[in-house]
Amino acid sequence: MSSAPPPVPAGAGTEKNARERARQLDRDDELGFLRNEFNIPTKGQIASTRLPEGASADTANENDTSKCIYLCGNSLGLQPKRTQTRLTQYLSTWATQGVQGHFKPLDNSPLPTWLDVDERAAEMIAPIVGGHVSEVAVMQTLTANLHLLMSAFYKPDINKRHKIILESKAFPSDHFAVETQLRHHGLDTAKSMVLLKSEKSADNILTTEEICNVMEQHKDDTALLLLPGIQYYTGQLFDIPTITAYAKQRGIFVIWDLAHAVGNVELKLHDWGVDAAAWCSYKYLNGGPGCIGGMFVHEHNGAVTKAITDERPEEGYNHRLAGWWGNDKKSRFGMENRFHPVKGAAGFQLSNPSVLDITSLCASLEVFGLAGGMGKLREKSLRVTKFLEEQLEGMGEAERKLFRIITPLDPKQRGAQISLGLDTGLLEGVMKELERRGVIVDERRPDVIRVAPAPLYNGFEDVVDFVEAFGEALRVAKMERDTL
Ligand SMILES: Cc1ncc(COP(=O)(O)O)c(C=O)c1O
C-alpha cells in the first residue's frame, strides 16, 4: 500500500458546512439504502496488489478499511452483493443438474431455466430502456450489436441513400464499426461517412440544431444516423426524441449507442419512436466487465408478418444476419433449415446466450427493481450531480483556475457524469494523488478526468470526499509540475 498522502491545507473557497449538508442529504435520501446492496471496495483493497484471502471480497484484511470513493460507474459499475449469491446458485445448478439446467425448474431456485434466461432478462431490462418486452433483447456485446443492427437496417444504395452520419469524435469502436460497414458494402468512406463537428465548441458539444442542420443538408442521400445517447468524453446527453423525430421525417434510420445512457438517465425508446439502439451492461448497469449487452428494435422494425408455415419464409420480416436463437422458439429445436425469426428484438439473437453473463446482469437488475424505476433514480442523480457541480464551482480560486467543466451545465443535457478538463501537464499527477487518497475516477488523455456519481450507490458525502481530495490533488500536482 502507498504511504499516506501529506496533509495539504484546504482551499480558501471550500464550503465550510458542505460535509454536514451532504450527510443530511444522504440521511434524507430515500434511495440511500441501495448503497448497502453493493460491494464498495475499501481504500486498503484498492491499494492492495493481492487478491483477498478466502472466497468473498468482503474478507479482505487490508490496513485501511474505510470505503474508497468510487465515482467511476461510467466505466465499470460496482458489484452488487447479490451477484455473488446468484452466480453461486447458477454454478450449483450446473454442478448438480448438468444439461437438465436448460429445462428443469428447481423448486427453491430464484433463477429461470437456462432456456428462458433471455426472456427473463428482457422483462427486467425493458422498463429501464422504456421499451416493450418484445422490443428488447439481452445479447452479444455493444459493438457486435451495432454491426448486427447495421446489417439489418443499413442497406445502402449509392444512387440514393448511402451516407451514415456520426460524430467526428465518436467512441472509436463506433467509428470503426461504421467505417467497416461502409467498406463491407464496397463504399468509399470519404463519400459516404458524414462526420458531425461543432462550429462553436472545441470539445464538440453539438447542439440539436447543428445535428439537424447536417441531416437537412444530407437528407436526400443519408441512410443512417448513429449517435450516442450520452457522449462518453464530454458527458453530453443528446435530445434523443427531437433528433430521432427530425431524422425520421427525412427518411433517415436512427441507431442510438446507449453505453453511457442506459441505467443512467430515463429512456422512453418506444414512445420516442427510436428505430433501434444498443448498449453494454458493465457501466451503470453493473453487470460486470465485458458482460452481455443488449439491443432495442422498435416494433415497427421487428415485425414478422407471415406465419412460420409460409412457403416463402424469406418474406414478411426485415432481413438480418441470423442464428438459431433468433428462430421462433416453437420450431427452434425442430432443426429445420428454414429461418423464421421470433417477432421483435429476440429475432435478432444469434447464439444461445451466456447464462453466466445473464445471471450476473439480472442480479444487478434486481437492484434496479428495488429502486422503484428510473424516474426516481434520475431524480436523485440530478441532485447529486448538481451538488457535485456546485462543490466544484465553490473550490478555492487557485484550484478552480486549474480545471474547466466540459460537460454542459444544463442538467437536461447531462447524465451522472461531469468531465473535467485539467490544465496542461496535471493529469498524471492528479490521478496519482487521487489514487493515494482512495478516490477512483477515470482519465481520458491528454487532460480529462470523468467523475460520475452513480445514484444506486453514490451519495452526497462521496461528492464532498471527492472535491476535498481533488483540491489537494490539484495543489500537489501543480507544485510538482511547476518545479520540474
Ligand atoms: C460509447 C461507447 N460505444 C462503444 C463501446 C464499446 O463497447 P464494447 O466493447 O462492449 O463493444 C464503448 C465502451 O466503453 C462505449 O463507451
Side-chain angles (χ1 to χ4, degrees):
M1 203 183 141
S2 58
S3 58
V8 186
T14 308
E15 184 191 330
K16 296 277 180 306
N17 64 352
R19 188 169 296 278
E20 281 89 291
R21 199 151 71 83
R23 284 185 177 155
Q24 188 57 48
L25 288 165
D26 281 336
R27 278 194 293 275
D28 293 343
D29 173 16
E30 59 174 33
L31 297 183
F33 73 98
L34 292 170
R35 182 177 170 86
N36 198 33
E37 287 283 332
F38 288 85
N39 285 314
I40 317 254
T42 65
K43 288 183 179 170
Q45 285 169 336
I46 61 164
S48 173
T49 53
R50 292 178 53 77
L51 254 186
E53 303 295 329
S56 159
D58 286 338
T59 59
N61 184 23
E62 304 296 343
N63 295 338
D64 190 344
T65 54
S66 57
K67 298 291 183 194
C68 81
I69 315 308
Y70 194 89
L71 296 168
C72 209
N74 58 300
S75 178
L76 181 73
L78 284 178
Q79 184 190 101
K81 289 177 183 165
R82 58 183 73 208
T83 302
Q84 212 164 52
T85 313
R86 296 289 176 254
L87 289 182
T88 304
Q89 287 162 337
Y90 156 69
L91 290 172
S92 302
T93 311
W94 180 23
T96 59
Q97 302 296 324
V99 72
Q100 297 187 113
H102 278 303
F103 44 80
K104 179 177 155 189
L106 300 178
D107 290 344
N108 58 346
S109 173
L111 304 177
T113 50
W114 302 337
L115 276 184
D116 302 310
V117 282
D118 47 348
E119 284 177 22
R120 169 79 68 92
E123 283 163 20
M124 294 176 88
I125 198 96
I128 293 174
V129 298
H132 295 166
V133 175
S134 62
E135 291 173 317
V136 295
V138 171
M139 57 184 273
Q140 307 290 339
T141 50
L142 172 50
T143 310
N145 285 336
L146 290 175
H147 273 300
L148 290 175
L149 287 172
M150 284 192 267
S151 83
F153 298 111
Y154 176 60
K155 305 279 166 64
D157 177 344
I158 192 65
N159 298 313
K160 280 167 139 179
R161 292 180 184 268
H162 59 97
K163 289 181 180 166
I164 301 181
I165 302 176
L166 73 161
E167 309 159 87
S168 57
K169 294 192 177 173
F171 191 86
S173 207
D174 294 29
H175 188 99
F176 302 156
V178 167
E179 213 171 26
T180 54
Q181 280 285 333
L182 293 172
R183 294 205 182 112
H184 177 72
H185 287 284
L187 295 171
D188 178 354
T189 52
K191 291 196 183 117
S192 297
M193 201 165 172
V194 180
L195 299 177
L196 291 163
K197 197 163 183 332
S198 173
E199 298 283 318
K200 301 172 202 146
S201 160
D203 296 312
N204 216 35
I205 304 274
L206 288 155
T207 63
T208 302
E209 197 187 354
E210 282 178 311
I211 297 168
C212 291
N213 284 346
V214 172
M215 282 196 272
E216 178 62 21
Q217 202 186 324
H218 297 275
K219 66 175 188 285
D220 295 330
D221 48 11
T222 297
L224 183 76
L225 171 71
L226 172 64
L227 277 183
I230 290 183
Q231 219 281 346
Y232 78 100
Y233 186 86
T234 64
Q236 180 187 8
L237 167 60
F238 289 101
D239 183 346
I240 301 176
T242 304
I243 295 167
T244 298
Y246 195 91
K248 291 180 74 172
Q249 281 155 13
R250 280 150 193 80
I252 300 172
F253 194 91
V254 198
I255 298 178
W256 290 93
D257 171 344
L258 300 176
H260 290 262
V262 67
N264 179 3
V265 292
E266 248 188 313
L267 297 167
K268 297 187 173 159
L269 299 183
H270 177 84
D271 292 350
W272 294 340
V274 163
D275 281 315
W279 55 85
C280 55
S281 68
Y282 38 80
K283 300 177 186 294
Y284 297 94
L285 291 183
N286 317 308
C291 191
I292 195 161
M295 72 159 69
F296 168 90
V297 180
H298 199 282
E299 66 184 4
H300 299 146
N301 304 316
V304 177
T305 55
K306 296 264 165 83
I308 291 177
T309 51
D310 260 2
E311 284 310 303
R312 293 176 59 80
E314 72 278 14
E315 287 183 354
Y317 60 87
N318 197 293
H319 288 285
R320 78 275 321 252
L321 297 181
W324 74 315
W325 221 254
N327 198 73
D328 195 294
K329 235 175 169 178
K330 290 196 262 335
S331 57
R332 185 187 290 161
F333 299 98
M335 298 298 161
E336 288 171 22
N337 283 339
R338 204 167 72 165
F339 177 65
H340 206 293
V342 195
K343 181 167 148 277
F348 289 75
Q349 295 176 100
L350 299 183
S351 307
N352 73 107
S354 160
V355 180
L356 186 63
D357 272 37
I358 290 199
T359 305
S360 180
L361 172 60
C362 287
S364 176
L365 297 183
E366 285 182 35
V367 183
F368 276 86
L370 301 177
M374 280 309 300
K376 278 187 152 184
L377 267 180
R378 172 67 168 153
E379 194 271 327
K380 171 178 172 183
S381 177
L382 284 167
R383 291 192 304 123
V384 181
T385 299
K386 182 74 190 165
F387 186 71
L388 171 60
E389 179 198 323
E390 285 166 8
Q391 295 304 309
L392 287 165
E393 291 294 8
M395 285 173 76
E397 210 179 310
E399 293 80 37
R400 186 63 195 82
K401 279 200 212 131
L402 297 175
F403 69 92
R404 65 196 177 89
I405 297 180
I406 292 174
T407 308
L409 297 182
D410 173 6
K412 287 205 235 52
Q413 289 185 60
R414 68 183 181 206
Q417 170 188 328
I418 292 188
S419 303
L420 304 173
L422 307 183
D423 215 22
T424 309
L426 291 183
L427 181 69
E428 208 177 307
V430 165
M431 287 302 286
K432 187 182 77 192
E433 290 301 319
L434 285 175
E435 203 182 310
R436 286 178 81 189
R437 287 162 176 79
V439 175
I440 306 269
V441 293
D442 78 351
E443 64 179 28
R444 281 286 171 260
R445 290 187 177 272
D447 52 23
V448 169
I449 63 171
R450 304 184 298 177
V451 186
L456 276 178
Y457 47 80
N458 287 125
F460 294 87
E461 198 171 1
D462 286 330
V463 168
V464 175
D465 285 331
F466 166 73
V467 173
E468 274 182 19
F470 183 49
E472 291 175 4
L474 282 169
R475 288 191 285 281
V476 175
K478 179 176 183 315
M479 227 153 42
E480 282 176 3
R481 181 195 66 181
D482 294 351
T483 49
L484 270 182

